[in-house]
């Protein structure tokens, strides 16, 4: 079962497992872990991706708002389909695309979630670090327990 919610974060239930997905191998591993946990606990997975306008300095630039949201939604859908291909079809998954900084979006959603799951590394610029900035920020500031999934998936 897969539901789709765009742009606005869907209401998070206190039994939901919120998982951050950016399309990286680490986030895909986190999504697979969350699906397995939801199957064991009877919970629902809320797979979340976020996007922001790129930083641009100087003359004003016009960016088509829908393109960023659509691209983020496509990345999320592909990651969810890939993870569900592993046989987790009995787990309800809600796909959510939200405009905003990834760490803040996940922390906000964690306020009502049972669990927040993130990968240890995303698509950030500092590839040599052991823990990415988003996962580190979530581990320090989330309102619910946090699982950081290591590995490339």
């Amino acid at each position: 079962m897969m539901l789709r919610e765009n742009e606005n974060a869907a209401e998070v239930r206190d039994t939901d497992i919120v998982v951050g997905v950016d399309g990286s191998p680490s986030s895909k591993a986190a999504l697979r872990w969350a699906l397995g946990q939801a199957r064991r606990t009877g919970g629902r997975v809320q797979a979340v991706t976020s996007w922001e306008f790129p930083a641009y300095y100087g003359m004003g630039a016009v960016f088509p708002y829908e393109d960023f949201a659509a691209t983020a939604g496509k990345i999320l859908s592909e990651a969810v389909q890939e993870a569900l291909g592993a046989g987790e079809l009995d787990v309800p998954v809600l796909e959510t695309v939200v405009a905003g900084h990834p760490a803040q979006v996940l922390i906000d959603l964690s306020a009502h979630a049972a669990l927040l799951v993130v990968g240890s590394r995303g698509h950030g610029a500092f590839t040599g670090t052991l823990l990415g900035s988003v996962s580190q920020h979530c581990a320090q500031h989330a309102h619910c327990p946090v699982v950081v999934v290591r590995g490339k998936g």
Side-chain angles (χ1 to χ4, degrees):
M1 171 191 302
M2 188 168 32
L3 307 168
R4 179 73 185 236
E5 182 77 23
N6 281 314
E7 262 335 279
N8 298 313
E11 184 176 329
V12 178
R13 300 178 192 161
D14 61 0
T15 57
D16 281 357
I17 298 171
V18 172
V19 58
V21 181
D22 65 3
S24 68
S26 182
S27 75
K28 290 177 182 180
L31 177 57
R32 283 191 297 278
W33 189 94
L35 288 167
Q37 182 68 14
R39 185 166 21 109
R40 285 185 287 282
T41 62
R44 177 178 79 166
V45 170
Q46 187 165 158
V48 179
T49 195
S50 67
W51 63 273
E52 293 183 295
F53 287 111
Y56 182 80
Y57 302 99
M59 297 296 290
V62 176
F63 296 105
Y65 184 82
E66 294 79 19
D67 287 351
F68 292 107
T71 300
K74 182 179 178 190
I75 291 168
L76 177 61
S77 289
E78 289 172 358
V80 168
Q81 287 301 322
E82 182 181 319
L84 288 173
E88 308 290 349
L89 299 175
D90 55 340
V91 176
V93 178
L94 178 67
E95 294 182 18
T96 305
V97 178
V98 182
H101 187 275
Q104 192 59 54
V105 166
L106 293 171
I107 289 166
D108 290 347
L109 290 173
S110 77
H112 302 288
L115 187 65
L116 174 61
V117 182
V118 293
S120 60
R121 290 284 319 127
H123 282 305
F126 302 105
T127 57
T129 60
L130 295 177
L131 189 63
S133 61
V134 171
S135 51
Q136 184 173 13
H137 200 74
C138 288
Q140 292 173 343
H141 300 285
H143 304 283
C144 67
V146 178
V147 173
V148 179
V149 178
R150 292 192 43 94
K152 296 184 180 181

